[in-house]
Amino acid sequence: TLGVARTVVGHDNPGLPAPWVDTIARHLLPAETKSAVLTLYRSTRGADLEALVPRLRADDHDTLVVFGDADAYIPAEQAHRQLQPFPRAQVHVLPGVGHWCWLEQTDRVAAHVVPFLRERVGTSISSKTAR
């Protein structure tokens, strides 16, 4: 039920504003959502993910990882694991922030995302105008 979903999401994410708790809880209820999530988790094999690491690493993607250390669903150490496939990744772990960090602490997340994007957009625009 919606009440149970709200309780679980709110409990697991105490810093999440009530309107977002409600929105997320509503998104979790449809059977199609549950089925899609279970299908994804059941079809994702560790060996398949490990096989992607060398391929992603070779492409040397420019990456930003912003993660909450109070995530009830995914351990914060996962943020640092992103350095395996993305060696140039900038990793920022926000103390006391949960799973939906961009909803919970919008300004703190934006403080990392906006400069990251500005650097890349500025570089892209500068190289196009220099041609």
Side-chain angles (χ1 to χ4, degrees):
T1 70
L2 182 57
V4 171
R6 281 186 186 130
T7 299
V8 171
V9 171
H11 174 271
D12 291 350
N13 302 277
L16 197 60
W20 283 116
V21 169
D22 186 64
T23 298
I24 292 165
R26 288 180 187 280
H27 285 272
L28 294 174
L29 290 180
E32 296 85 355
T33 301
K34 294 174 191 173
S35 176
V37 170
L38 285 174
T39 299
L40 172 66
Y41 289 159
R42 289 176 179 160
S43 67
T44 304
R45 298 180 317 191
D48 294 338
L49 295 175
E50 289 301 318
L52 288 174
V53 169
R55 293 170 61 192
L56 292 169
R57 189 176 187 85
D59 288 340
D60 199 20
H61 295 283
D62 202 11
T63 307
L64 174 67
V65 177
V66 181
F67 210 94
D69 78 348
D71 190 321
Y73 310 118
I74 302 172
E77 66 192 37
Q78 184 63 32
H80 297 289
R81 287 185 188 150
Q82 300 311 304
L83 291 168
Q84 292 172 4
F86 308 111
R88 291 188 305 123
Q90 293 180 29
V91 178
H92 302 278
V93 178
L94 306 178
V97 181
H99 187 69
W100 287 282
C101 59
W102 65 96
L103 301 175
E104 187 177 325
Q105 294 286 326
T106 306
D107 291 341
R108 286 174 71 189
V109 172
H112 297 289
V113 173
V114 171
F116 180 85
L117 293 176
R118 279 194 177 135
E119 286 174 16
R120 275 109 198 118
V121 169
T123 301
S124 174
I125 291 171
S126 297
S127 37
K128 286 182 182 177
T129 57
R131 289 180 193 171

